[in-house]
Amino acid sequence: MTFKPITSFCLLILLLVPLASACKTNIGSSSSSSNNGPVDLTLWTSPAASEVGNPPANWFLTKDVHDKLNINLKVTLLPNGDDGDTKMNAAAAANALPDVFQVPSNNNIFLQWVKQGLIAPVDSLLPMMPGRTKDRYSDPQMKKIATIDGKQYVLQEKAGLIKRQGLFIRKDWLDKLGLKEPKTLDDFYNVAEAFTTKDPDGDGKNDTYGFGGTTGVASVGLGGSWQAFFGAYGLPGTWNFNTPGKINLSLRDPGYLKAVQFLHKMAASKLIDPTWPTMSTDDFRAAWKQQGKYGIMSEDFCAAICEANYKPFDTNFPNGVWEPLAPPQGPDGKSFLGSYTNVGLRIAVSKKAMDAGKGPAIAKFLEWTNTGEGYYETAFGQKGVHYKLDAQGNVTGEGVPVPFASHEAAPLNQLRFLVYKNTPSELKARYNSHKTKSGRIIDPIQIHDTIASFPWQDQTPAFVIQPASNQADINRYVDENLVQFITGQKPLNDGSWNSFIKGLDGLNVSDWEAQANKELKDQGLL
């Protein structure tokens, strides 16, 4: 073996002077760890509960990370939805991405950062955190999804609770108006009309809407709140997988136009909260929790009925009852509540952080949060204060001063989604049953299982589809036109719709669809 002169020199020094530090730089240590001082580490992630605020300045978690891991951890909680993407994009444009971060829901944004050289491969981190790698990063399909040009750019987990967002209906309003749960789109329209016009809350005011939802992050389309309407025509996701061996955009299918026509009819009759195109997630949740505006809504199951999240609604409307609603059937009997992928939590590392030698510190932190004290502290809080272990060794929030599932504890475990494992015992603890002011018992896991039992469409393969070079233009063109069609800003008829579809040609959408088919076939996913 031939050694470089400086390496041979360093080996000689190490033999002669064991305490020498002359070789530190040459054997891979960076300037950030060339002394015994703590490593500065920035972490950006979505909050587990956006409405409860940030952890306190004297947060026990960051203190323990400093004392036990020698890491100065600075956590930034991102706004939900587009605002969070905007903040991340601004950081990327300034080459100021955080050291480690949760990958945005919009994968197209992230793929652009990879192309721009802002993201580091994470293959080298996997051996540094063997426990977390074994538990979370060993699924073959997820490895494939995390790999770009032969390198893994994402610490990719398989999803746990993947069928989370569902339709909910005010059962108390149904009962008051003598109505049954809607089964078809026509039923849905009729119930929404009654919820809007017949004063279901009994306050004598015209202040309710049949349906409430928000636009969300999606490759092309309006987002998860609206998938059930397109699912009534067999088109719940961005991509149409209904033709064997081929995909194209769902909006090319005639059924997509019919779904848009239904939503236009709803909007024209003022059955949908008209602020939906611009409403933030927090405003939407205030509308149903604080104001009681909606009779039917699309919401994450836990955001709707977990104890801390449900409490504001229960306080304001103690006789209110939200129940899961099956997706409405279309004219041909089709129904999907939505589409889903098996892609779970995604963590990435900036190239700047890796170049600065922060990889070992990142791996150390993630491994610490995977088991033992670090896991419990990040997921649940402080033992004896926010949780304890029962006789079987499972976490429980019973019999402690500030239970981890309470509203008061929520700011203290805002990073819990980074560490949750979704074991049965953990799920039972996280989604604990609770009693409402009226004495009803709500079991969140039962609600989730009900939502998951409805028809869904698996679109995991679509996650590997690379964005078009002009993806932002395509998204903007489609989303703006859909909003204009639904709200009546633009006439909706066969002619205007065909013009809209023809406009895709000017954006080279056919080339993107062809590339998507090739990518899926090349990876054996179509």
Side-chain angles (χ1 to χ4, degrees), residues 38-39 41 55-75 365 368 373-374 377-378 382 412 415:
V39 177
L41 206 62
N58 61 344
W59 193 14
F60 53 79
L61 180 65
T62 50
K63 182 180 184 302
D64 281 355
V65 169
H66 175 275
D67 294 346
K68 297 175 181 180
L69 305 182
N70 203 28
I71 293 172
N72 285 329
L73 181 67
K74 183 177 181 180
V75 176
F365 169 70
W368 182 73
E373 179 187 30
E377 192 167 303
T378 310
Q382 293 176 300
L412 303 173
L415 299 187

Side-chain angles (χ1 to χ4, degrees), residues 168-171 174 181-182 191 195 295-296 321-323 325:
F168 288 86
I169 191 166
R170 286 285 297 269
K171 178 67 163 53
L174 282 174
E181 288 190 357
V191 169
F195 284 169
I296 307 173
V321 179
W322 286 110
E323 286 192 348
L325 176 65

Side-chain angles (χ1 to χ4, degrees), residues 355-430:
D355 289 345
K358 295 185 179 183
I362 293 170
K364 182 191 290 187
F365 169 70
L366 293 175
E367 183 78 343
W368 182 73
T369 64
N370 190 60
T371 55
E373 179 187 30
Y375 162 73
Y376 286 114
E377 192 167 303
T378 310
F380 303 105
Q382 293 176 300
K383 189 174 182 180
V385 179
H386 306 107
Y387 77 93
K388 65 180 182 179
L389 301 179
D390 62 19
Q392 290 73 42
N394 297 323
V395 170
T396 177
E398 297 179 5
V400 293
V402 188
F404 63 85
S406 67
H407 186 81
E408 292 77 13
L412 303 173
N413 52 22
Q414 287 280 36
L415 299 187
R416 57 189 184 266
F417 286 144
L418 292 180
V419 302
Y420 277 161
K421 296 181 177 180
N422 297 312
T423 62
S425 61
E426 184 195 83
L427 290 176
K428 183 179 179 181
R430 283 164 48 191

